Amino acid sequence: HSFPTRRSSDLEAAESRSRACTCENCGKEFLTTRSSVKYCSDACRYAAQIKLQGARKKALREAKNEKETKSA
């Protein structure tokens, strides 16, 4: 397959749509053309996912301990 090469007008259009965002994990500013992007890199996205999983597990443990304490 032969893919068409990007024209400079395509790149200019993408640059004009780009917006500055702040990474929700590390706080670094970065540019994106997509509205749904929250993280500056895959590494930050993964690190944030790990943090959220840890927080969810902690909340579940605390809820379980609270429930056991009330029934005892």
Side-chain angles (χ1 to χ4, degrees), residues 16-65:
S16 71
R17 287 191 312 268
S18 68
R19 61 186 184 90
C21 293
T22 303
C23 179
E24 290 189 8
N25 185 54
C26 70
K28 176 181 160 187
E29 284 228 344
F30 65 100
L31 292 176
T32 183
T33 57
R34 305 199 57 173
S35 61
S36 61
V37 176
K38 296 180 182 180
Y39 307 105
C40 64
S41 66
D42 284 341
C44 269
R45 183 180 52 76
Y46 183 72
Q49 183 179 353
I50 296 301
K51 284 181 192 174
L52 283 172
Q53 285 176 348
R56 277 192 218 113
K57 286 183 179 180
K58 182 180 178 184
L60 286 172
R61 277 195 307 269
E62 288 173 354
K64 183 181 177 184
N65 288 341

